[in-house]
Amino acid sequence: MRTQVAIVGAGPSGMLLSHLLEREGVESVVLEARSEDYVASRVRAGVLESSSVDLLRQVGLGDRLEREGLHHGGIVLAWPGERHRVDFVDLVERGVWVYGQTELQKDLIQARRAAGQQVEYEVSGTSIHDVHTDRPLVSFVDAAGVAQRLDADVVVGCDGSHGPSPAAVTDRRTWGRTYPFAWLGVLADVEPSTDELIYAWHPEGFALHSMRSETVSRFYLQVSPDEDLAAWSDDRIWAALAARLGDEPGGWSLRTGPIREKSILPMRSHVTAPLRHGRLFLAGDAGHVVPPTGAKGLNLAIADVGLLAPALSAMLRRGDSGLADTYSDRALRRVWRCTQFSWWMTMMLHRHGDDFDAALQLSQLRWVTASRAGAQGLAENYAGLPLEL
Ligand code: RFL
Ligand code: PHB
């Protein structure tokens, strides 16, 4: 097989890149290790920044998002006895959209299918070769078990943090942090008990109340990284959520309902640089991972491919490699901003250390909610910065 851009990974970064390239008149083939059903039903992120939504709208992917997505003008920060709204629209004149990554993934799959895009699902043995020549290639075994070879002008690794492409950047430098806690994620068929997301600090650990629709709620609880999921019955989950989110007789109360899915997610920060090695480029989680507290991972994946698609188009259609040469530096500026913000939100909200750390966290929460300057910093980062920083 031969194409202009070989894309490894059909998650949001790979599928959106393929969509953007087609609009630029550049052909691609997408290779994916999992099945289409698996990719379309993975429960993951839920929050889109306004710049992500602007990009999706501009390229014809905003219709269902605008119909079914929930526009939120702020978030609530809570700790025992206190609840404060951070009003993004007032502070930075933009909000965010709650729209599940699953839904965006379905929109991407549908748009690529309508365009006749070649996506090879259930491939194995993906291996990237010759990235220092102008004819790089990807070898793989297709779903029928036949060995294949895809020749391309450029290969883009959109294969997440466990795929083969990050390791193919042999001169890379990496930075990382593994946090001493994890999230227990819960999806429940119950009407949300709040209009906006609640991020709660609590002596027993962080809790987050998010949502997917008017009938589906999403929750997270801070747990230990080696937590046994079997130790968390539905009753224990609801009791912990009620306590940490601040359910009080006569005050705010948590609605409960059937739990559809629960899983444990490790939390880490990780950055790889550069995001280019010869004719191999990295985008999305293949280049960087953030803890989910700042709701940035999916947005960074969207921003990366928003920078990469015009760069590849200029390189492959006009022989102008200027934007491709600066892609890594431009993308990494935003990656480090979001890495710092995600680390900061994580360290402010999760229980760790001793009572001194807890007192510092509470002081910071009070400042961020009482001072306009403090709140504005959070709002500007959470609601999203412009594509180019
Ligand atoms: P993905 O989505 O991991 O897709 C990579 C794809 O590559 C495939 N692959 C291979 N394909 C071919 N050959 C191989 N050898 C391959 N190896 C792997 C994989 O099967 C997969 O389909 O990366 P991408 O596209 O870069 O997208 C990144 C986002 O998925 C991720 O950053 C977000 O989900 C992170 N995240 C959140 N981000 C936000 O912006 N807002 C949020 O609210 C938010 N919440 C979350 C999150 C991530 C979570 N989890 C589970 C990690 C909440 C959670 C719980
Ligand atoms: C989600 O709804 O899955 C979600 C929302 C906000 C976060 C992380 C995850 O910070």
Side-chain angles (χ1 to χ4, degrees):
M1 290 180 219
R2 150 126 211 107
T3 190
Q4 289 178 289
V5 180
I7 300 175
V8 184
S13 56
M15 292 296 261
L16 180 59
L17 177 64
S18 167
H19 183 88
L20 298 177
L21 287 174
E22 187 193 64
R23 292 175 62 91
E24 302 263 358
V26 176
E27 212 180 75
S28 64
V29 170
V30 185
L31 306 176
E32 167 58 51
R34 304 291 196 146
S35 69
E36 185 181 290
D37 278 354
Y38 181 90
V39 171
S41 55
R42 262 188 311 223
V43 183
R44 285 191 165 180
V47 176
L48 290 173
E49 297 174 354
S50 51
S51 55
S52 300
V53 173
D54 290 345
L55 176 70
L56 295 170
R57 278 185 181 134
Q58 278 161 24
V59 299
L61 290 165
D63 291 356
R64 197 161 72 94
L65 196 164
E66 260 165 62
R67 267 199 325 276
E68 297 176 21
L70 310 167
H71 184 261
H72 284 193
I75 56 167
V76 174
L77 292 176
W79 58 97
E82 305 260 358
R83 289 179 111 65
H84 298 272
R85 175 161 192 259
V86 182
D87 185 335
F88 297 162
V89 175
D90 172 49
L91 292 159
V92 294
E93 294 173 353
R94 59 186 185 276
V96 294
W97 290 78
V98 174
Y99 190 64
Q101 183 169 327
T102 353
E103 303 313 308
L104 175 60
Q105 185 78 46
K106 285 180 194 144
D107 295 345
L108 286 164
I109 290 173
Q110 211 206 337
R112 297 322 297 133
R113 189 180 290 139
Q117 172 66 41
Q118 185 180 355
V119 183
E120 297 278 331
Y121 287 100
E122 297 181 73
V123 305
S124 54
T126 321
S127 174
I128 299 161
H129 310 270
D130 301 343
V131 296
H132 284 296
T133 71
D134 55 9
R135 284 282 173 276
L137 68 99
V138 185
S139 58
F140 64 96
V141 176
D142 69 16
V146 180
Q148 299 279 3
R149 149 183 184 152
L150 174 60
D151 291 286
D153 298 318
V154 159
V155 177
V156 184
C158 293
D159 43 349
S161 55
H162 304 296
S165 67
V169 179
T170 48
D171 62 350
R172 76 191 188 283
R173 177 159 180 216
T174 60
W175 295 258
R177 169 103 2 131
T178 300
Y179 298 93
F181 30 77
W183 277 11
L184 168 62
V186 175
L187 193 67
D189 289 308
V190 59
E191 183 189 336
S193 308
T194 175
D195 293 336
E196 293 178 335
L197 272 60
I198 305 172
Y199 287 81
W201 182 98
H202 192 275
E204 284 163 25
F206 169 73
L208 170 59
H209 187 334
S210 181
M211 61 200 71
R212 287 291 176 271
S213 69
E214 271 142 35
T215 53
V216 179
S217 297
R218 177 82 169 143
F219 301 96
Y220 298 97
L221 285 166
Q222 176 184 348
V223 294
S224 144
D226 54 10
E227 194 75 34
D228 177 12
L229 191 58
W232 287 85
S233 65
D234 292 4
D235 287 348
R236 182 174 174 205
I237 288 172
W238 289 119
L241 285 169
R244 298 188 195 182
L245 290 167
D247 180 294
E248 278 170 20
W252 179 82
S253 73
L254 178 68
R255 291 187 191 98
T256 62
I259 289 180
R260 204 199 292 172
E261 204 243 26
K262 49 185 158 180
S263 54
I264 293 192
L265 323 155
M267 294 189 52
R268 65 193 179 101
S269 295
H270 184 82
V271 180
T272 299
L275 296 172
R276 177 185 183 178
H277 191 59
R279 290 214 167 207
L280 170 66
F281 293 79
L282 303 181
D285 278 17
H288 38 77
V289 175
V290 287
T293 328
K296 288 292 166 223
L298 174 59
N299 293 292
L300 272 177
I302 293 173
D304 280 357
V305 299
L307 293 175
L308 188 55
L312 294 182
S313 166
M315 179 177 165
L316 299 176
R317 299 196 61 205
R318 303 197 298 278
D320 173 359
S321 60
L323 287 175
D325 292 343
T326 55
Y327 162 72
S328 178
D329 287 346
R330 287 181 295 129
L332 283 166
R333 268 204 289 279
R334 189 189 180 84
V335 167
W336 277 114
R337 175 89 302 282
C338 294
T339 298
Q340 193 278 336
F341 175 68
S342 305
W343 165 85
W344 177 78
M345 284 283 279
T346 299
M347 297 312 282
M348 175 170 73
L349 287 162
H350 290 74
R351 194 74 165 91
H352 66 93
D354 56 19
D355 288 350
F356 177 73
D357 295 281
L360 291 181
Q361 290 177 312
L362 289 170
S363 169
Q364 174 120 44
L365 280 164
R366 278 187 208 105
W367 178 67
V368 154
T369 49
S371 146
R372 189 167 177 90
Q376 225 156 11
L378 189 155
E380 185 175 59
N381 282 281
Y382 193 106
L385 295 152
L387 199 55
E388 296 267 6
L389 294 185

